[in-house]
């Protein structure tokens, strides 16, 4: 047998720590029991810590997109105006969901790789005074660009509109304070920064947002936040929860608590800094205007096919990274440093990237990116 190890450095799903993986194999218990309620209670506390909020955080069985749908269904009525910040594939997803629910979607756009600016949101709000909500990402995973959510929140808070943030890849890796930053709805999925397999989503809503949840007229049943609120007040879930994933979440939240959010943010910042240094060492150009701690995106060197590089790295070398989505296909390479990641994940990924580029005939000085990254990685994070 030919041995080839696999390394996962895609921006979701991300690697799962062994303690978390094995918790998924625990024998099932019934969910309407004091034993399971005790787990829900601890998970609910842990989620508030993860989200850095005083408000309850609800968990649902769905991938991240389910939480995006829950946000629209619970905060909007058909015909109402929603402003969407579109800077990539996930901004575009907000628009698609809004249209599916019959909302009047007003799009404010930036070129892929650029950051939505607070000024842009301010002007769009001025032109659309009836807008009921602004929808954006914390990190636009398709481009690797992180938005200035704090500054955008300030702008939105001066109006009656709600501020909804898709934190699906950002949460855990990028600082985010929903209560302080005027975020009315923040959501994420399990398979990115939270170090779980896919299948759970998490969502929180501010007091200002809850008023709207009570009146919103979009159809909703499974994702009706009112049902989750009623249940969570009793340490319960409205429908059969994903019991095994909740066991795993319970373990992951313990890890998060022991590392602390500040510790997670600085580890991610350190890995991101090292990865950017590595790309510079290879003379590769960063793609994102505001690169974040989640992933590092670079332009594919001219004359090379990015999809081929991704394929060589994955199929020949065992290192899974991500290419570009949509019109970015072939032109962008994305290495994630998200979730359960340490320094040697970065040196492995950069080393594989060097090999793949060299195999494609690109002039590479072997070790150049790894050496540059090691200048940052030999020390511990700040
Ligand atoms: C991954 C991701 C999504 C989609 O989440 P799924 O779990 O695949 O449904 C949405 N938004 C952002 C920013 C993401 O990174």
């Amino acid at each position: 047998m030919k041995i080839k190890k696999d390394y996962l450095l895609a921006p979701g799903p991300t690697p799962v720590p062994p303690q978390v993986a094995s918790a998924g194999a625990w024998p099932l218990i019934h969910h309407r029991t004091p034993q399971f309620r005790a787990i829900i209670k601890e998970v609910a506390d842990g989620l508030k810590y993860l989200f850095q909020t005083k408000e309850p955080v609800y968990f649902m069985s769905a991938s991240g997109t389910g939480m995006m749908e829950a946000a629209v269904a619970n905060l909007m009525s058909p015909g109402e105006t929603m402003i969407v910040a579109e800077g990539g594939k996930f901004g575009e997803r907000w628009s698609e969901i809004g249209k599916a629910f019959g909302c009047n979607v007003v799009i404010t756009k930036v070129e892929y790789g650029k950051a939505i600016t607070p000024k842009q949101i301010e002007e769009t709000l001025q032109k659309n005074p009836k807008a009921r909500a602004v929808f954006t990402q914390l990190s636009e995973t398709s481009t690797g660009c992180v938005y200035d959510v704090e500054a955008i929140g300030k702008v939105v808070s001066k109006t009656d509109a709600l501020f909804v943030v898709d934190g699906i890849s950002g949460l855990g890796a990028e600082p985010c304070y929903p209560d302080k930053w005027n975020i009315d709805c923040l959501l994420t999925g399990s398979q990115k920064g939270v170090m779980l397999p896919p299948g759970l989503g998490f969502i929180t809503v501010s007091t200002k947002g809850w008023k709207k949840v009570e009146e919103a007229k979009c159809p909703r049943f499974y994702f009706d936040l009112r049902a989750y609120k009623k249940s969570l007040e009793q340490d319960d879930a409205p429908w059969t929860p994903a019991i095994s994933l909740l066991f795993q979440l319970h373990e992951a939240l313990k890890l998060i608590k022991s590392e602390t959010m500040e510790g997670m943010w600085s580890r991610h910042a350190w890995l991101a800094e090292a990865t950017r240094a590595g790309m510079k060492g290879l003379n590769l150009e960063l793609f994102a205007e505001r690169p974040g701690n989640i992933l590092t995106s670079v332009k594919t060197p001219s004359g090379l096919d990015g999809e081929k590089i991704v394929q060589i790295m994955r199929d020949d070398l065992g290192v899974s990274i991500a290419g570009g989505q949509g019109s970015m296909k072939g032109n962008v390479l994305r290495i994630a440093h998200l979730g359960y990641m340490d320094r040697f994940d970065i040196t492995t990924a950069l080393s594989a990237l060097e090999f793949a580029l060299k195999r494609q005939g690109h002039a590479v000085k072997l070790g150049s990116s790894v050496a540059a990254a090691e200048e940052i990685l030999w020390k511990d994070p700040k």
Side-chain angles (χ1 to χ4, degrees):
M1 190 182 98
K2 205 170 124 201
I3 289 179
K4 186 179 107 233
K5 287 198 183 181
D6 289 316
Y7 304 85
L8 182 57
L9 289 102
T14 64
V16 173
Q19 308 83 313
V20 175
S22 51
W26 289 349
L28 287 177
I29 60 174
H30 195 277
H31 54 293
R32 311 276 183 218
T33 56
Q35 289 75 13
F36 198 69
R37 288 208 172 97
I39 290 183
I40 292 188
K41 198 174 166 58
E42 285 185 26
V43 158
D45 282 344
L47 285 173
K48 281 186 183 178
Y49 178 65
L50 170 69
F51 273 65
Q52 297 282 294
T53 179
K54 297 189 301 295
E55 302 296 334
V57 180
Y58 304 99
F59 56 84
M60 303 186 189
S61 307
S63 78
T65 306
M67 297 306 93
M68 297 173 77
E69 171 157 342
V72 173
N74 283 281
L75 295 170
M76 299 297 300
S77 297
E80 283 182 343
T81 299
M82 59 186 264
I83 295 174
V84 173
E86 267 190 12
K89 297 312 285 177
F90 294 112
E92 290 161 17
R93 188 163 301 173
W94 275 133
S95 304
E96 288 173 51
I97 297 171
K99 283 173 195 156
F101 279 91
C103 301
N104 172 37
V105 177
V106 172
I107 295 169
T108 173
K109 235 182 182 17
V110 285
E111 207 184 305
Y112 289 161
K114 296 277 185 290
I116 299 283
T117 65
K119 189 159 173 24
Q120 205 178 334
I121 299 293
E122 189 166 29
E123 287 169 3
T124 315
L125 277 163
Q126 277 161 2
K127 273 189 229 143
N128 297 277
K130 290 220 177 85
R132 298 305 310 255
V134 173
F135 290 77
T136 182
Q137 269 67 38
L138 170 59
S139 156
E140 177 45 84
T141 319
S142 66
T143 66
C145 199
V146 166
Y147 297 157
D148 190 350
V149 164
E150 182 180 12
I152 298 173
K154 268 198 195 122
V155 166
V156 182
S157 72
K158 291 187 197 132
T159 70
D160 289 335
L162 300 172
F163 184 34
V164 183
V165 177
D166 160 8
I168 296 175
S169 71
L171 212 74
E174 279 304 321
C176 186
Y177 298 96
D179 302 355
K180 272 190 263 173
W181 290 2
N182 306 294
I183 298 174
D184 296 301
C185 177
L186 179 65
L187 56 97
T188 193
S190 53
Q191 80 279 22
K192 309 249 169 129
V194 195
M195 306 183 285
L196 293 180
L200 280 183
F202 314 107
I203 183 166
T204 188
V205 175
S206 70
T207 314
K208 180 177 165 188
W210 265 105
K211 293 202 186 88
K212 195 62 214 289
V213 173
E214 305 291 350
E215 327 158 352
K217 297 210 167 44
C218 279
R220 51 191 153 149
F221 182 80
Y222 190 81
F223 289 143
D224 192 334
L225 272 167
R226 293 167 297 185
Y228 289 86
K229 180 168 189 270
K230 218 167 122 196
S231 292
L232 196 65
E233 283 164 2
Q234 264 110 66
D235 305 323
D236 207 347
W239 342 110
T240 307
I243 297 171
S244 302
L245 279 167
L246 284 164
F247 287 156
Q248 294 184 289
L249 174 62
H250 192 229
E251 289 303 306
L253 289 169
K254 280 190 214 162
L255 294 178
I256 290 170
K257 205 149 192 197
S258 75
E259 185 175 25
T260 76
M261 291 308 290
E262 292 75 15
M264 296 232 295
W265 297 329
S266 60
R267 173 170 54 86
H268 282 90
W270 169 68
L271 297 175
E273 188 191 351
T275 309
R276 288 194 298 269
M279 295 304 189
K280 207 167 159 207
L282 271 175
N283 294 318
L284 295 184
E285 196 187 333
L286 294 182
F287 180 66
E289 177 181 42
R290 277 179 110 243
N293 298 340
I294 292 107
L295 67 101
T296 299
S297 52
V298 290
K299 296 182 185 166
T300 309
S302 65
L304 294 187
D305 175 6
E307 288 307 291
K308 187 75 194 159
I309 304 290
V310 171
Q311 189 198 322
I312 294 172
M313 286 180 73
R314 182 191 58 227
D315 300 343
D316 301 344
L317 304 169
V319 176
S320 272
I321 65 162
Q325 292 167 275
S327 64
M328 293 170 275
K329 207 174 170 78
N331 306 327
V332 176
L333 300 168
R334 295 177 296 152
I335 294 187
H337 20 77
L338 180 58
Y340 185 57
M341 289 278 168
D342 198 0
R343 43 168 69 92
F344 299 113
D345 294 301
I346 304 305
T347 50
T348 298
L350 291 172
S351 168
L353 177 61
E354 290 180 6
F355 297 169
L357 289 170
K358 195 171 171 74
R359 286 183 183 200
Q360 280 302 90
H362 190 63
V364 172
K365 183 172 178 301
L366 289 179
S368 56
S369 71
V370 175
E374 284 183 347
E375 288 299 335
I376 291 159
L377 294 172
W378 72 273
K379 295 165 286 186
D380 286 336
K382 287 184 202 99

